[in-house]
Amino acid sequence: MKEEDFRVRAAPSPTGRVHTGNLRTFLNNFLFAKSTNGKYILRIEDTDQKRKVEGGIEAIVETLGLYNIEFDESPLKGGGYEPYIQSQRLDIYKKYAQQLVEKDCAYYCFCTQERLQSLREQDERSTYDRHCRDLNEEEVKNNLDEKKPYVVRMKFPLDGVTEFRDEIYGTIKVKNSEVDDQVLLKTDEYPTYHFAVVVDDHLMDITHVFRGREYLSQTPKNVFLYDSLGWERPKWVHTPHLLNPDGVGKLSKRKGAMSAVSYLRKGYLPDAVLNYLALCGWAPKGDVAKQDEIYTVQELIELFSIDRMKKSNARYDENKLNHMNSKHVRNMGLEKLTEYVFHWAENLVLKNFIADEYDESEDWEKELKQDVKKYLPLWKENEEYFKKALNLEFERITYLAELPKALDFFYKKELTWSDEDWNTKNHSKKEIADALENILPKLENIFGNEEYSHEKWEEVVRGYADELDWKHGDLFLAVRSATTGRLKSPPLLESFEIMGWEKVKTFLKQAINWLRS
Ligand code: GLU
């Protein structure tokens, strides 16, 4: 088969939510489809109607679109294999369930809920006791005539071994005695996952099934159905899990998973998130592998291959993601980044998405919205000024949500401080105020006349520190706190150049007043 005939699918439930783990599954399929020039299909598994939400499909498509992950076929855009929503395919499942019964590969089961319940009560781990497996034709007919509710179960071989190949885990053998007679069609005529997935993957010509490794032990059920219906098996690619940072359990919201929209809103770049997630369980090898692990999505597409996927689970590592994001931010360069910051502020932070309906926004999201609402008009008012300020900060930040605070002193008319914004280890607030008061005219002398140079500015501060018998660093820190409102900031001289002397002077005076009050 030619690679461009490859077809992969994502098969989410329409809950509207796309969190870290789901995003990684969507990404693996996407990278494989793009790397082979195959097709990427979105199919919606809504057979559990309780989990379905209004707008859930739109939310998923919209969220992935923000990461530039597009589908070639989906319920929203069609594609020749309709319908792409399982609840609209019930007659199809019914037809194949009947075929399986006729082939003696499945049977009607009329056991009541009460009976099944009492089986479970006897032994919690017990599987169905195959009570209806050998009903004779007449018994079945009578029950059907009497309109007794039924389910359809697969008639799984009682002995022997089922063998299949997984592209990551190799040849897998499972004893048939360990597999139960799985329900295929429920009383309400909805299919179960194990049945629908086979019917749909076959009818939609899916060639590669990427799914979590938790399905590996269940795959014999799928194998049995493919073989019984005389259908060619797809290639299975069971992917290792993304675990919580402590290695216990699949990544959960409580331990750091975020919604795919929230990452972008926080100012992680789409490429950085995808870069990080792609490397959870996969890595390129040889000469093409980069030491720093920083790849664009285009590079990931070019390098992706199933044989480099790992067998072991990965752990979520926020520090690594942060590190990668700051690298991607730097690599963007000032021009592109400036454009992206405006896009981020307008189209990601301030905009509401359908997905927001299903994920409660966090406190930081609410605060960020307020900050951006306040600063964005100021940023846009003078793009050159903004760019200069951003130039000093962008190599220092991890994600863009830090920007409103990081840049605030360039925009504020008045600074405010708290005690933690000053270094008072060696000198009291009063001493600092006195020092600032005395250094102000000295600074005015150079900046007021714009006769400054790096040497001159340092000479003034060091010289006056010597006069006071202070450590140089203490005086530099005092000036930094006074003029930026914080102990850490970009280089002062460069900041002053952007802010202009009048603003610096105003802040110095405000600081002196604050320190004396
Ligand atoms: N609906 C299933 C899930 O979300 C899909 C599994 C599959 O890809 O087959 O886990």
Side-chain angles (χ1 to χ4, degrees):
M1 178 182 274
K2 291 200 296 282
E3 283 200 340
E4 64 253 38
D5 294 329
F6 285 175
R7 292 171 59 81
V8 295
R9 86 299 189 277
S13 300
T15 58
R17 293 197 160 88
V18 181
H19 285 247
T20 320
N22 322 116
L23 183 57
R24 177 168 165 261
T25 307
F26 281 114
L27 174 65
N28 282 334
N29 277 294
F30 173 75
L31 290 177
F32 181 72
K34 289 288 152 200
S35 70
T36 57
N37 267 322
K39 292 270 183 298
Y40 192 9
I41 292 108
L42 175 66
R43 180 177 74 229
I44 297 297
E45 304 213 326
D46 62 345
T47 54
D48 182 356
Q49 291 277 307
K50 287 193 291 287
R51 297 182 60 203
K52 182 175 166 173
V53 298
E54 210 50 52
I57 302 172
E58 286 78 3
I60 290 171
V61 169
E62 177 185 69
T63 302
L64 292 167
L66 298 175
Y67 284 87
N68 302 314
I69 294 181
E70 306 283 348
F71 297 98
D72 298 299
E73 298 167 25
S74 79
L76 303 185
K77 85 199 264 199
Y81 289 82
E82 285 92 350
Y84 290 90
I85 300 178
Q86 289 189 327
S87 62
Q88 296 172 11
R89 300 171 61 82
L90 300 186
D91 50 339
I92 303 176
Y93 308 122
K94 200 170 167 189
K95 177 174 124 193
Y96 287 106
Q98 263 156 10
Q99 274 190 23
L100 286 164
V101 173
E102 281 157 23
K103 286 172 186 267
D104 200 26
C105 298
Y107 60 92
Y108 293 102
C109 167
F110 300 94
C111 289
T112 59
Q113 280 308 321
E114 293 73 38
R115 180 167 189 280
L116 296 175
Q117 183 59 30
S118 87
L119 280 180
R120 276 193 291 270
E121 273 160 20
Q122 282 162 33
D123 178 359
E124 229 177 81
R125 286 163 308 157
S126 78
T127 50
Y128 176 59
D129 64 357
R130 304 189 173 91
H131 180 262
C132 294
R133 184 171 166 124
D134 296 312
L135 295 182
N136 63 38
E137 253 177 59
E138 207 183 316
E139 283 171 299
V140 172
K141 188 174 177 305
N142 286 343
N143 283 337
L144 289 177
D145 287 347
E146 280 173 33
K147 301 242 177 303
K148 276 199 186 161
Y150 64 83
V151 300
V152 177
R153 288 183 184 271
M154 64 165 71
K155 201 169 197 175
F156 201 79
L158 298 176
D159 35 50
V161 171
T162 296
E163 190 175 317
F164 64 96
R165 201 187 130 66
D166 177 82
E167 297 302 305
I168 297 181
Y169 293 95
T171 301
I172 308 280
K173 292 181 189 166
V174 179
K175 279 196 205 135
N176 288 343
S177 55
E178 288 169 6
V179 182
D180 61 335
D181 282 356
Q182 168 76 44
V183 172
L184 302 177
L185 216 53
K186 297 181 263 185
T187 325
D188 58 5
E189 298 199 329
Y190 271 77
T192 55
Y193 165 74
H194 292 293
F195 182 42
V197 75
V198 168
V199 172
D200 291 344
D201 284 344
H202 170 73
L203 294 180
M204 294 181 180
D205 287 333
I206 300 302
T207 55
H208 296 71
V209 173
F210 284 74
R211 60 183 181 184
R213 68 188 276 189
E214 70 272 27
Y215 291 106
L216 197 55
S217 65
Q218 302 293 316
T219 307
K221 296 175 180 173
N222 301 155
V223 171
F224 174 72
L225 293 171
Y226 277 104
D227 294 357
S228 301
L229 289 161
W231 293 345
E232 193 186 334
R233 302 177 191 177
K235 287 197 189 313
W236 279 289
V237 193
H238 287 92
T239 48
H241 291 151
L242 182 56
L243 303 179
N244 279 315
D246 55 13
V248 184
K250 277 212 245 176
L251 181 61
S252 62
K253 205 167 172 198
R254 213 161 38 84
K255 294 199 177 158
M258 284 216 290
S259 83
V261 169
S262 294
Y263 279 112
L264 300 183
R265 206 168 256 150
K266 196 155 184 171
Y268 288 99
L269 304 182
D271 273 25
V273 179
L274 299 184
N275 185 172
Y276 172 69
L277 290 177
L279 293 186
C280 293
W282 170 83
K285 81 162 180 230
D287 297 345
V288 293
K290 291 188 184 172
Q291 193 77 31
D292 65 1
E293 299 189 296
I294 301 299
Y295 300 95
T296 63
V297 170
Q298 196 47 43
E299 287 170 326
L300 293 173
I301 290 173
E302 279 157 26
L303 296 173
F304 190 80
S305 71
I306 295 178
D307 60 357
R308 293 294 302 157
M309 293 189 86
K310 297 175 189 164
K311 287 194 173 88
S312 51
N313 294 330
R315 285 183 193 203
Y316 184 66
D317 180 351
E318 195 181 86
N319 289 335
K320 186 165 174 184
L321 169 66
N322 284 345
H323 169 76
M324 285 187 158
N325 197 58
S326 52
K327 287 265 170 132
H328 275 271
V329 167
R330 281 176 197 209
N331 288 350
M332 218 177 202
L334 185 62
E335 289 300 322
K336 267 178 120 177
L337 183 65
T338 307
E339 246 174 68
Y340 186 80
V341 170
F342 289 141
H343 160 75
W344 163 76
E346 278 168 18
N347 302 317
L348 294 168
V349 178
L350 295 182
K351 216 168 126 182
N352 288 325
F353 296 100
I354 312 170
D356 290 328
E357 310 253 329
Y358 314 112
D359 275 302
E360 230 174 276
S361 59
E362 316 261 346
D363 287 346
W364 67 261
E365 279 179 300
K366 292 180 199 149
E367 258 174 59
L368 179 65
K369 261 187 198 203
Q370 280 176 355
D371 286 347
V372 166
K373 225 182 240 163
K374 175 166 139 198
Y375 284 112
L376 181 62
L378 301 172
W379 293 350
K380 287 180 77 171
E381 198 172 77
N382 184 343
E383 210 175 302
E384 279 314 302
Y385 184 84
F386 174 75
K387 222 187 258 178
K388 285 184 197 159
L390 181 65
N391 190 33
L392 285 194
E393 285 286 8
F394 83 95
E395 296 198 350
R396 310 163 54 86
I397 57 166
T398 306
Y399 36 76
L400 305 186
E402 292 168 46
L403 281 179
K405 293 225 160 50
L407 299 178
D408 66 358
F409 64 93
F410 289 109
Y411 288 93
K412 283 186 169 170
K413 294 208 163 59
E414 231 173 86
L415 284 191
T416 48
W417 295 263
S418 62
D419 285 349
E420 296 81 68
D421 297 321
W422 298 92
N423 169 26
T424 49
K425 264 186 238 127
N426 300 325
H427 305 286
S428 67
K429 286 205 273 189
K430 165 155 193 326
E431 286 169 329
I432 296 173
D434 291 344
L436 291 174
E437 189 138 32
N438 291 326
I439 204 171
L440 199 154
K442 298 181 201 293
L443 294 177
E444 168 122 59
N445 227 354
I446 54 171
F447 293 125
N449 300 318
E450 308 222 334
E451 276 178 13
Y452 62 87
S453 65
H454 234 280
E455 293 72 30
K456 211 163 201 167
W457 133 256
E458 295 213 343
E459 201 182 286
V460 170
V461 181
R462 287 180 207 282
Y464 185 55
D466 286 341
E467 222 174 280
L468 291 173
D469 204 16
W470 279 27
K471 283 193 195 145
H472 297 169
D474 284 347
L475 191 55
F476 276 110
L477 262 188
V479 176
R480 185 180 301 278
S481 296
T483 53
T484 67
R486 63 185 74 141
L487 286 164
K488 280 194 184 135
S489 78
L492 279 180
L493 184 65
E494 283 84 341
S495 303
F496 293 170
E497 280 176 8
I498 298 170
M499 295 153 75
W501 170 246
E502 283 310 313
K503 196 178 182 74
V504 177
K505 189 162 80 175
T506 309
F507 288 167
L508 278 166
K509 287 182 179 164
Q510 287 170 5
I512 295 163
N513 286 339
W514 186 88
L515 288 162
R516 294 203 194 289
S517 66

